[in-house]
């Protein structure tokens, strides 16, 4: 794929648009609206650091292992949080710090699968060191605000105390006595937070940074720092082989969620409500952990957090506001195609400005045998934007005499993460929340939906986005070459020889898509434009996502639930919110199953031709769709057939082309009458029959969660699991994911061999295995809540359970709860409820080291 002409064709096209235009036709600047509560809450300042360096916290655990942590300052609160967190996930966080430090190959050798030659540890270590987060954290830690430092320093003191008090040999079997049992530093945690916020940007491109080099051969390969050994040539050969197999693809593409903020017009009691339903991995570094954090008289916040968030709640509620997040469609980086100077692959021009590509040599320690390591080194290259990138072989982004490619990451060295969420945790109004978004860029790849106790709701996509001139935004949105490249790669690739496309910093809060109302705001991972059907949003920077395009079936399901899920009065109670979340309705069924059943019955026993030599009698499937029970719950008959059909269903080919931008929640609709859907149904039947799966199997028969024990061994107990998939138009969705998203840890997990498609022979997209549909991803930390005169009332569940320690009683207790009930449980926020459900309590203290 030859891309270099892009810089010329786009430049020519933009001359007709007006390259020097500085008009503001492309960006709407909504005012920061105010929403005062009837009785203005008074915000109480919380001390950041402990007096006399003495850290003290009280930790009470209630049923299902949820810690309720109380302290008088943020440092001590984070201290208690770090201790309680380590009790559940010490192994997991240490594993992640080793990854971020670039030391996996040091402990495990170059390969993720030992001896396979995949070189993944080697590439990961070089990549994280090339990102520079550890070096930056060491050099710039003192520039952090006091609030962030209090959280980081308190958290590592509590974490290290638990590890030291327990002893390496007595830790969870997932890491007991492992050589990578380490003490954490505050700088480690800052580096980890900076790496985490690049999940939707530079973390996609560590391999491409590894392969980048100005030569035409294998100059990207690492070399020994000292005397060569016989192992080096083998390592180099493996890396070279891995390069030839590399495919350019978007990682972390499954991250998703549903979120509603419900105002006084939508809640039965006239106060605010919230539905939080993040779809995240049940394993690895992106699993959630629940806690309750209190500074008496100043802050009382409950919710869930991603791994290693030091004493802050990412998705939760306090006495005044509640909030949740969904993964944004915004694109947080740009790839620039540089136009190199003639006869010089290390320099380029941006119009009249000359720039030089610089290099930095990075070293990685690699285990090549028992107690034996070598040091390998290689250069990484940087433009004035950031890391240089290159795909090997003919994958499109080549570095040659005329062109090279580089990334500009809006989240590079983003140190706002902890300060942002600490401010959200302490907010006493929506205005407080808005001020935090105006001050910090910590919500790096998320939309936010929020509600206050007075019944106002707020939405913002304040994920970090590069600011460009208006003409550049128009080009990215409309210029055919740029649109085509984005559609084929999943990211924006722009000319690097034009000042027009130079970043102007980050889009400020006032220019981000946002909306304040008193009925609802919602998002299910489509772009901002359908936040509320009564007030569509348009006119924001192109990088926030597409508008006026068909919505996903899941978004349409959510909008339908909002419309008719509130009962006869069209207003939600807490129980009705719960039913909307876990009722397991699927939009695909409501959209087409009646028509599909009619087409199936009209076809009778006349076989449907799937290929030129394969035909299938679809008549056994007709009753499954005509008798469908309206959901994907454990009792649903024919669940496997419904699922396989859903994975073959394509709205653009199976529905009439009748999308209406004025009615996005209900269009496109109506199954085509040319029987193309019957062909998909026949294919789905063939996939099940060829793999020995009954067409009438219930979801309880085929979908399950099975915990992995230490060493990655499956527990042998498969818990039946209710809930649909995204492609079915489900809301409360699950799936199996074996990508880097889920398996970004060296702690092993059980895997399941996916069965083949009967026609193509490729693994089924549904991940159907010989044991059924395993689940390790989807609805994770989910809750519904409603403000009342007596404070917030909430129900929730951490579906994967609280602890990753396979010895813990809280390793699978919430998973069993969901398997048996498919419901949420009460969240113990009030002191009386905590006291009634108390299972353990300790006071911890130490002098800060």
């Amino acid at each position: 794929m030859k891309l270099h002409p892009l810089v010329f064709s786009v430049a020519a096209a933009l001359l007709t648009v007006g390259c020097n235009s500085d008009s503001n036709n492309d960006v709407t600047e909504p005012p920061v609206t105010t929403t005062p509560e009837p009785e203005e809450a008074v915000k109480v300042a919380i001390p950041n650091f402990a007096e006399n360096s003495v850290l003290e916290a009280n930790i009470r655990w209630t049923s299902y292992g949820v810690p309720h942590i109380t302290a008088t300052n943020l440092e001590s609160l984070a201290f208690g949080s770090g201790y309680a967190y380590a009790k559940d996930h010490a192994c997991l966080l240490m594993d992640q710090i080793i990854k971020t430090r670039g030391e996996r190959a040091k402990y495990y050798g170059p390969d993720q699968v030992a001896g396979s030659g995949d070189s993944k540890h080697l590439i990961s270590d070089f990549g994280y060191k090339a990102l520079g987060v550890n070096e930056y954290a060491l050099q710039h830690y003192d520039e952090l605000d006091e609030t962030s430092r209090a959280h980081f320093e308190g958290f590592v003191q509590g974490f290290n105390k638990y590890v030291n008090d327990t002893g390496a040999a007595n830790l969870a079997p997932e890491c007991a006595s492992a050589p990578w049992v380490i003490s954490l530093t505050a700088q480690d945690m800052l580096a980890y937070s900076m790496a985490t916020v690049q999940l939707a940007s530079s973390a996609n491109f560590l391999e491409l940074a590894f392969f980048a080099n100005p030569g035409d051969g294998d100059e990207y390969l690492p070399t020994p720092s000292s005397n060569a050994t016989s192992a080096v040539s083998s390592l180099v050969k493996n890396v070279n082989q891995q390069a030839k197999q590399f495919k350019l693809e978007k990682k972390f593409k499954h991250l998703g969620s549903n979120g509603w903020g419900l105002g006084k017009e939508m809640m039965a009691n006239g106060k605010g409500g919230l539905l939080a339903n993040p779809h995240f991995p049940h394993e690895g570094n992106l699993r959630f952990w629940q806690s309750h954090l209190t500074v008496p008289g100043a802050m009382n916040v409950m919710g869930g957090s991603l791994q290693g968030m030091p004493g802050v709640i990412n998705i939760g509620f306090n006495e005044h506001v509640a909030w949740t997040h969904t993964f944004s469609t915004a694109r947080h980086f740009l790839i620039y195609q540089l136009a190199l100077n003639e006869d010089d692959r290390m320099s380029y021009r941006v119009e009249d400005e000359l720039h030089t590509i610089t290099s930095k040599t990075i070293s990685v320690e690699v285990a090549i045998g028992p107690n034996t390591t070598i040091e390998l080194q290689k250069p990484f290259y940087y433009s004035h934007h950031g890391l240089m990138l290159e795909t090997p072989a003919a994958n499109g982004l080549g570095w040659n005499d005329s062109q090279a490619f580089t990334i500009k990451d809006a989240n590079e060295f983003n140190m706002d993460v902890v300060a942002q969420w600490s401010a959200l945790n302490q907010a006493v109004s929506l205005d407080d929340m808005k001020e935090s978004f105006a001050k910090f860029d910590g919500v790096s790849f998320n939309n936010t939906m929020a509600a206050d106790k007075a019944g106002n709701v707020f939405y913002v996509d304040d994920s970090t986005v590069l600011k460009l001139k208006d003409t550049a935004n128009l080009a990215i949105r409309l210029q055919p070459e740029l649109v085509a490249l984005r559609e084929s790669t999943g990211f924006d690739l722009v000319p690097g020889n034009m000042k027009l496309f130079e970043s102007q910093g980050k889009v400020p809060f006032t220019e981000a898509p946002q909306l304040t109302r008193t009925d609802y705001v919602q998002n299910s991972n489509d772009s901002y434009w359908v936040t509320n059907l009564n007030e569509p949003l348009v006119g924001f920077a192109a990088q926030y996502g597409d508008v006026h395009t068909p919505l996903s079936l899941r978004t349409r399901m959510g909008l339908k639930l909002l419309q008719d899920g509130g009962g006869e009065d069209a207003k939600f109670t807490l129980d009705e919110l719960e039913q909307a979340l876990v009722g397991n309705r699927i939009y695909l069924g409501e959209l087409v199953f009646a028509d599909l059943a009619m087409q199936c019955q009209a076809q009778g026993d006349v076989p449907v031709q799937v290929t030129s030599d394969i035909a299938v009698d679809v008549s056994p499937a007709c009753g499954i769709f005509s008798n469908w029970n309206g959901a994907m719950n454990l009792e649903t008959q024919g669940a496997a057939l419904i699922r396989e059909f859903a994975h073959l269903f394509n709205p653009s080919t199976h529905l009439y082309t009748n999308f209406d931008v004025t009615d996005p929640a209900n269009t496109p609709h109506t199954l085509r009458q040319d029987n193309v859907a019957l062909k998909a149904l026949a294919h789905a039947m063939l996939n099940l029959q060829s793999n020995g799966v009954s067409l009438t199997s219930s979801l309880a028969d085929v979908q399950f969660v099975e915990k992995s024990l230490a060493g990655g061994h499956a527990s042998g107990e498969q818990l039946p699991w209710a809930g649909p998939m995204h492609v079915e138009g489900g809301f409360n969705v699950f799936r199996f994911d074996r990508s880097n998203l889920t398996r970004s840890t060296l702690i092993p997990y059980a895997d399941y061999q996916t069965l083949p498609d009967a026609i193509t022979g490729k693994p089924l997209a549904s991940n159907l295995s010989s044991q059924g549909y395993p689940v390790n991803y989807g609805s994770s930390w989910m809750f519904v809540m409603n403000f009342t005169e007596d404070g917030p009332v909430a129900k929730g569940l951490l579906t994967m359970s609280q602890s990753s320690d396979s010895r813990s009683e809280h390793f699978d207790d919430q998973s069993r709860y969901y398997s048996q009930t498919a419901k949420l449980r009460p969240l113990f926020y009030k002191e009386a409820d905590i006291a009634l459900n108390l299972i353990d309590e300790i006071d911890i203290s130490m002098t800060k080291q």
Side-chain angles (χ1 to χ4, degrees):
M1 181 168 67
K2 190 175 182 181
L3 296 177
H4 185 58
L6 165 70
V7 295
F8 303 110
S9 63
V10 172
L14 288 172
L15 290 175
T16 64
V17 177
C19 294
N20 297 318
S21 171
D22 287 323
S23 66
N24 199 35
N25 296 328
D26 192 50
V27 177
T28 299
E29 295 191 16
V32 179
T33 56
T34 60
T35 52
E37 297 175 334
E39 297 180 5
E40 194 77 26
V42 177
K43 190 171 185 177
V44 178
I46 301 174
N48 286 313
F49 294 101
E51 292 184 5
N52 303 318
S53 295
V54 177
L55 303 172
E56 297 178 298
N58 171 264
I59 308 174
R60 294 172 293 171
W61 282 271
T62 54
S63 54
Y64 297 99
V66 177
H68 304 257
I69 303 156
T70 304
T72 59
N73 56 80
L74 293 180
E75 187 180 28
S76 291
L77 193 69
F79 167 67
S81 178
Y83 187 94
Y85 168 84
K87 186 169 184 274
D88 291 322
H89 295 300
C91 298
L92 190 52
L93 184 57
M94 289 187 288
D95 165 84
Q96 292 302 298
I97 297 301
I98 293 302
K99 177 189 73 176
T100 308
R101 285 182 180 179
E103 294 182 344
R104 284 189 160 174
K106 172 182 176 180
Y107 295 105
Y108 288 95
D111 300 333
Q112 182 172 298
V113 179
S116 69
D118 62 36
S119 305
K120 290 184 177 180
H121 292 164
L122 189 67
I123 293 172
S124 173
D125 287 351
F126 272 116
Y128 276 100
K129 287 193 172 185
L131 286 181
V133 289
N134 289 284
E135 182 180 1
Y136 192 90
L138 289 170
Q139 294 174 354
H140 296 271
Y141 181 81
D142 290 341
E143 298 171 18
L144 276 174
D145 61 285
E146 285 194 356
T147 295
S148 296
R149 288 194 287 111
H151 280 284
F152 284 128
E153 290 165 21
F155 184 86
V156 298
Q157 294 284 320
F159 184 95
N160 291 339
K161 175 176 174 58
Y162 176 83
V163 172
N164 293 333
D165 289 354
T166 304
N170 299 314
L171 292 174
E174 285 73 15
C175 68
S177 300
W180 44 269
V181 171
I182 54 174
S183 291
L184 307 187
T185 68
Q187 291 79 7
D188 279 331
M189 295 307 301
L190 173 58
Y192 179 62
S193 73
M194 288 192 291
T196 298
V197 300
Q198 293 183 77
L199 283 175
S201 46
S202 293
N204 283 272
F205 298 101
L206 297 186
E207 295 99 333
L208 272 64
F210 182 91
F211 295 135
N213 76 98
D216 290 322
D218 57 5
E219 291 89 349
Y220 63 84
L221 294 172
T223 58
S225 299
S226 55
N227 294 331
T229 71
S230 59
V232 172
S233 60
S234 175
L235 283 176
V236 169
K237 179 180 178 181
N238 288 339
V239 174
N240 203 16
Q241 187 64 32
Q242 184 70 13
K244 294 177 182 178
Q245 299 173 0
F246 178 83
K247 294 181 180 179
L248 181 60
E249 59 185 358
K250 186 178 180 181
K251 298 182 177 66
F252 309 117
K253 59 186 177 182
H254 296 307
L255 284 175
S257 301
N258 305 308
W260 296 353
L262 295 153
K264 55 190 173 185
E265 296 179 40
M266 296 285 288
M267 294 301 296
N269 71 346
K271 295 185 179 293
L274 192 90
L275 179 151
N277 182 217
H279 303 155
F280 264 56
H282 293 190
E283 305 167 345
N285 67 311
L286 291 179
R287 66 180 283 170
F288 277 90
W289 182 72
Q290 186 187 350
S291 64
H292 182 188
L293 308 174
T294 303
V295 176
M299 183 181 74
N300 188 7
V301 60
M302 172 177 275
S305 309
L306 293 181
Q307 300 302 301
M309 286 294 154
V312 292
I313 298 296
N314 292 136
I315 293 178
F317 60 92
N318 62 29
E319 297 155 301
H320 313 283
V321 293
W323 69 97
T324 188
H325 303 292
T326 61
F327 202 71
S328 169
T329 59
R331 302 180 293 276
H332 313 288
F333 61 93
L334 290 172
I335 303 294
Y336 288 89
Q337 182 183 10
L338 304 178
L340 301 181
N341 291 314
E342 188 175 356
D343 299 324
D344 184 5
R345 294 191 178 188
M346 293 293 287
S347 68
Y348 59 97
R349 286 188 179 276
V350 182
E351 296 182 6
D352 58 344
E353 294 180 358
L354 178 66
H355 293 269
T356 299
I357 297 171
T358 61
S359 66
K360 178 171 67 175
T361 298
I362 291 173
S363 299
V364 165
E365 191 174 353
V366 185
I368 58 172
N371 302 314
T372 305
T373 63
I374 60 171
E375 187 175 76
L376 296 181
Q377 64 181 19
K378 73 180 298 295
F380 281 77
Y381 298 90
Y382 302 81
S383 72
H384 76 288
H385 297 293
L387 272 167
M388 298 295 294
L389 309 175
E390 183 177 9
T391 57
N395 279 312
L397 306 184
W399 191 337
N400 55 39
D401 288 337
S402 59
Q403 69 174 16
F405 296 86
T406 187
I407 186 171
K408 174 69 175 178
D409 191 339
N411 280 310
E412 183 181 35
F413 305 133
N414 185 339
M415 298 200 299
D416 284 356
V417 178
V418 171
Q420 174 87 72
W421 267 292
S422 185
L424 292 176
N425 291 181
Q426 298 177 55
V428 298
S429 66
L430 291 187
D431 285 346
D432 252 3
M433 299 186 75
K434 294 174 185 179
E435 288 177 12
S436 79
F437 288 115
K439 184 176 181 180
F440 301 112
D441 277 315
V443 182
S444 57
F445 48 72
N446 292 323
N447 303 289
T448 301
M449 281 65 58
D452 68 11
K453 64 184 180 183
N456 304 293
V457 293
F458 173 62
Y459 161 86
V460 64
D461 182 346
D462 195 47
S463 59
T464 317
V465 170
L466 294 169
K467 183 174 175 60
L468 299 176
K469 293 181 178 178
D470 298 338
T471 306
N473 263 310
L474 283 172
I476 288 174
R477 180 178 291 127
L478 301 174
Q479 216 283 332
E481 285 89 346
L482 298 184
V483 172
L485 284 168
R486 179 169 65 252
E487 290 177 348
S488 65
T489 62
F491 51 79
D492 289 309
L493 197 158
V494 299
N497 64 335
M498 302 174 65
K499 290 183 180 179
L500 174 66
F501 289 96
E502 292 284 293
S503 167
Q504 310 295 302
K506 300 172 184 178
V507 176
F509 168 70
T510 54
E511 297 176 16
Q514 56 188 277
L515 186 63
T516 302
R517 293 182 64 89
T518 55
D519 53 356
Y520 74 89
V521 291
Q522 69 81 38
N523 186 269
S524 289
N525 307 119
D526 278 304
S527 78
Y528 59 89
W529 79 284
V530 287
T531 296
N532 185 295
L533 287 168
N534 299 311
E535 192 175 353
L537 299 174
V538 294
F540 296 91
Q543 290 183 82
Y544 281 110
D546 297 330
V547 300
H548 295 164
T549 56
L551 306 177
S552 73
L553 297 181
R554 175 159 56 87
T555 293
R556 291 171 67 177
M557 184 74 263
L559 291 169
K560 197 170 194 313
L561 287 168
L562 276 166
Q563 180 182 1
D564 57 26
E568 292 183 1
D569 61 357
K571 295 185 177 183
F572 285 91
T573 64
L574 190 67
D575 289 342
E576 287 168 341
L577 272 183
E578 178 184 14
Q579 181 59 29
L581 176 53
V582 297
N584 294 328
R585 287 169 62 179
I586 60 173
Y587 196 80
L588 179 61
E590 299 180 17
L591 183 66
V592 305
F593 282 6
D595 287 344
L596 182 64
M598 290 177 62
Q599 290 186 20
C600 183
Q601 290 160 358
Q603 182 74 14
D605 58 4
V606 178
V608 173
Q609 207 70 34
V610 183
T611 67
S612 59
D613 57 347
I614 299 176
V616 177
D617 175 6
V618 298
S619 60
C622 300
I624 289 173
F625 293 92
S626 61
N627 297 321
W628 171 59
N629 71 349
M632 279 291 273
N633 50 37
L634 294 180
E635 295 77 30
T636 300
Q637 297 296 308
L641 182 59
I642 291 171
R643 175 152 300 165
E644 295 307 318
F645 172 76
H647 277 86
L648 295 168
F649 180 82
N650 185 340
S652 65
T653 58
H654 293 144
L655 298 178
Y656 282 108
T657 307
N658 54 8
F659 172 67
D660 183 351
V661 71
T662 68
D663 189 19
N666 300 303
T667 60
H669 58 70
T670 309
L671 199 64
R672 293 177 63 91
Q673 298 299 308
D674 55 5
N675 284 352
V676 65
L678 288 185
K679 183 176 179 179
L681 175 58
H683 189 169
M685 292 176 64
L686 195 63
N687 283 340
L688 293 179
Q689 291 166 342
S690 66
N691 286 301
V693 180
S694 170
L695 297 182
T696 59
S697 55
S698 69
L699 191 62
D701 295 329
V702 293
Q703 182 164 269
F704 65 92
V705 158
E706 184 174 22
K707 292 290 186 174
S708 297
L709 304 179
H713 308 295
S715 69
E717 181 181 10
Q718 296 180 347
L719 304 175
W721 206 258
M725 287 187 177
H726 169 79
V727 296
E728 296 153 16
F731 194 69
N732 173 40
V733 301
F734 301 95
R735 60 171 283 121
F736 188 79
D737 194 333
R738 58 174 58 84
S739 69
N740 287 337
L741 167 68
T742 299
R743 298 299 168 82
S744 59
T745 170
L746 296 189
I747 298 172
Y749 294 97
D751 205 350
Y752 303 84
Q753 187 67 40
T754 300
L755 296 171
D757 184 288
I759 303 297
T760 67
K762 296 179 180 179
L764 288 168
S766 64
N767 284 304
L768 176 64
S769 72
S770 60
Q771 299 176 62
Y773 299 102
V775 167
N776 70 350
Y777 170 92
S779 294
S780 47
W781 162 239
M782 53 180 175
F783 73 90
V784 295
M785 65 81 59
N786 187 197
F787 291 104
T788 73
E789 293 293 343
D790 195 31
V793 178
K795 298 179 180 181
L797 196 70
L798 194 63
T799 56
M800 76 289 291
S801 301
Q802 183 77 346
S803 178
S804 58
D805 180 346
S806 56
R807 305 168 308 180
S808 170
E809 65 182 298
H810 307 303
F811 177 64
D812 61 3
D813 51 357
Q814 293 190 68
S815 304
R816 291 180 183 278
Y817 180 96
Y818 180 84
S819 175
Q820 294 164 5
T821 67
K823 294 181 180 180
L824 306 181
R825 60 179 183 81
L827 299 184
F828 304 132
Y829 182 78
K830 298 176 182 177
E831 279 298 314
D833 292 331
I834 294 170
L836 285 173
N837 293 277
L838 193 68
I839 60 174
D840 198 9
E841 180 175 9
I842 62 169
D843 291 303
I844 57 171
S845 64
M846 66 177 290
T847 301
K848 183 177 177 180
Q849 297 177 354

